[in-house]
């Protein structure tokens, strides 16, 4: 159907726009702190003696599960590519959520395109820069698409769907 094809094209192009704006890096920036827990479990000799890595309580257990799972499935050589695929899925989720918001408010793909374009353009200098500002896979960015989809479902009066998305986020 036309609406699904429109959504597919929007999400694909939106993902590319966000990727072009945010870029992608692996094992840099904010991602480093989140990799400490899974890396110490994946590599028992990872930075031995480092107090922060081995003696502090880390959070984001579900992120650690994801990283360990990707590493187990893809091993060392494929691991960075698997993390990139997850990052692209997050960006696709953001694009899909922007379209869902637009549709929930009674607008269409044109309004969603403008909204996504605004996020891409103002990201470095405004509020969107504090919201979607990572060029790497981090827990906060992973939580954003389901949170946004929860808001869209709430706008449509779909409480169960909103709760499910909210729980996932």
């Amino acid at each position: 159907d036309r609406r699904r094809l429109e959504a597919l094209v929007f999400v694909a192009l939106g993902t590319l726009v966000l990727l072009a704006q945010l870029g992608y890096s692996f094992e840099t920036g904010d991602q480093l702190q989140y990799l400490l827990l899974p890396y110490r479990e994946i590599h028992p000799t990872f930075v031995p003696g480092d107090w922060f890595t081995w003696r502090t309580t880390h959070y984001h257990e579900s992120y650690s599960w994801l990283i360990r799972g990707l590493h187990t499935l893809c091993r060392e050589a494929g691991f960075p590519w698997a993390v990139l695929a997850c990052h692209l899925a997050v960006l696709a989720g953001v694009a899909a959520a922007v379209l869902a918001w637009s549709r929930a408010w009674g607008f269409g793909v044109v309004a969603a395109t403008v909204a996504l374009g605004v996020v891409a353009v103002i990201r470095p200098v405004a509020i969107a820069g504090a919201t979607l500002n990572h060029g790497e896979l981090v827990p906060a960015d992973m939580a954003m698409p389901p949170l946004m989809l929860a808001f869209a479902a709430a706008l449509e009066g779909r409480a169960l769907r909103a709760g499910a998305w909210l729980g996932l986020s």
Side-chain angles (χ1 to χ4, degrees), residues 60-112:
H60 295 296
E61 278 288 332
S62 56
Y63 180 81
S64 181
W65 298 335
L66 172 69
I67 295 299
R68 289 190 326 255
L70 291 175
H71 186 269
T72 299
L73 288 173
C74 301
R75 304 323 260 146
E76 288 296 324
F79 177 63
W81 294 103
V83 173
L84 171 61
C86 286
H87 177 65
L88 292 174
V90 168
L91 297 180
V94 169
V98 167
L99 182 59
W101 273 12
S102 180
R103 288 179 171 169
W105 278 324
F107 299 109
V109 75
V110 174

Side-chain angles (χ1 to χ4, degrees), residues 60-63 90 93-94 97 101 138-152 160-169:
H60 295 296
E61 278 288 332
S62 56
Y63 180 81
V90 168
V94 169
W101 273 12
V138 296
D141 289 353
M142 292 172 56
M144 186 174 301
L147 179 65
M148 293 171 65
L149 289 166
F151 291 150
L160 183 60
R161 182 178 290 185
W165 282 123
L166 190 58
L168 183 60
S169 76

Side-chain angles (χ1 to χ4, degrees), residues 102-126:
S102 180
R103 288 179 171 169
W105 278 324
F107 299 109
V109 75
V110 174
T113 302
V114 171
L116 196 65
V118 167
V119 169
V121 170
I122 68 168
R123 184 196 67 79
V125 295

